[in-house]
Amino acid sequence: MESQVRGGTRWKRFAVVMVPSVAATAAIGVALAQGALAASFSVSGQDFKVSAGQLVGTGFTQYGGLDTGKSLDGKDSQAHPVAISAFNHATITNMCQSVVTPIPFLNKSVTLKLTAGDKGKDVEADQLFIDVANLDSTQAEFSNIDIGVAAGSVTKGPKPKADEVQQQKANPYGFAQQADKAVLTDVHQTAWATTAGTFKLANLHMGLQWGSGQGIECY
């Protein structure tokens, strides 16, 4: 989903509908695929897929936001509504990330695929923020969930970042939800960005392969 941004976010026209079964998995290798990440950055013109066998997160919050950046042809003011899922701490099993990059002069595409946490030791992350565009999970369980909290008033997990509010990419008075703990199983998602204070990747593997689709990407 894309829209033009002129003079900041039009919050009356933009709303991300939240439900209890929303986003909660993580992405790895984004720094390799798109350059080093910081607390505030312009997203690339590519979203990416992430799958996980299970994610267990403590201190969960989620609120609406907007990622902005350039398209692959270099055009400015590309805007992507997202649900920002944040965790104080998360562990992830059987994690996979894939991103497809088109190569026009060859009329081909190449897929970068990374896996971790698939050999008995989980991936771990602290202060994890995931900007999610779409998510599917076969089961989602939340402990002591509060739905309808103002984003700037959450107490169980991370709040919107100061730069997100200053740049009008998140509304501290907008809809949010929070829970002491979130457990999501068999997760498939697409995302535009991920940031974390620390990211420990057990048994990390990266590979490149021509093409895309089932059997090449994570799902």
Side-chain angles (χ1 to χ4, degrees), residues 4-218:
Q4 297 297 314
V5 178
R6 297 180 178 88
T9 305
R10 297 182 179 180
W11 286 104
K12 291 183 180 179
R13 295 185 181 181
F14 165 60
V16 176
V17 178
M18 307 292 191
V19 293
S21 60
V22 289
T25 179
I28 61 174
V30 181
L32 293 174
Q34 301 174 185
L37 297 183
S40 177
F41 57 92
S42 176
V43 300
S44 77
Q46 298 167 263
D47 59 6
F48 50 92
K49 292 182 177 180
V50 182
S51 64
Q54 186 175 73
L55 180 143
V56 179
T58 55
F60 166 74
T61 57
Q62 187 180 69
Y63 53 92
L66 195 71
D67 285 352
T68 59
K70 292 181 179 291
S71 63
L72 280 179
D73 57 7
K75 293 181 180 179
D76 291 317
S77 299
Q78 298 296 309
H80 312 284
V82 291
I84 300 172
S85 296
F87 303 87
N88 286 335
H89 181 76
T91 58
I92 306 142
T93 59
N94 296 327
M95 185 166 65
C96 174
Q97 179 204 293
S98 61
V99 60
V100 178
T101 300
I103 305 178
F105 65 89
L106 292 178
N107 196 28
K108 291 183 177 181
S109 61
V110 63
T111 296
L112 168 67
K113 183 177 178 181
L114 302 101
T115 59
D118 56 352
K119 295 182 179 179
K121 187 175 181 180
D122 292 342
V123 170
E124 294 188 43
D126 292 311
Q127 292 299 301
L128 177 65
F129 290 79
I130 314 152
D131 296 6
V132 179
N134 185 72
L135 175 134
D136 292 301
S137 174
T138 58
Q139 180 171 306
E141 180 179 345
F142 297 84
S143 301
N144 297 320
I145 190 168
D146 301 318
I147 301 173
V149 182
S153 299
V154 296
T155 58
K156 297 181 178 181
K159 296 182 179 180
K161 298 175 184 177
D163 60 292
E164 291 175 331
V165 176
Q166 292 169 359
Q167 297 173 29
Q168 296 187 338
K169 294 182 178 181
N171 188 341
Y173 309 109
F175 183 99
Q177 60 182 358
Q178 62 178 351
D180 290 338
K181 184 178 180 180
V183 180
L184 283 87
T185 304
D186 190 19
V187 182
H188 290 173
Q189 77 168 19
T190 56
W192 285 100
T194 295
T195 62
T198 59
F199 221 148
K200 299 178 182 178
L201 307 175
N203 301 304
L204 173 66
H205 173 76
M206 182 187 77
L208 295 167
Q209 187 171 345
W210 289 110
S212 60
Q214 192 72 29
I216 298 177
E217 299 176 67
C218 293

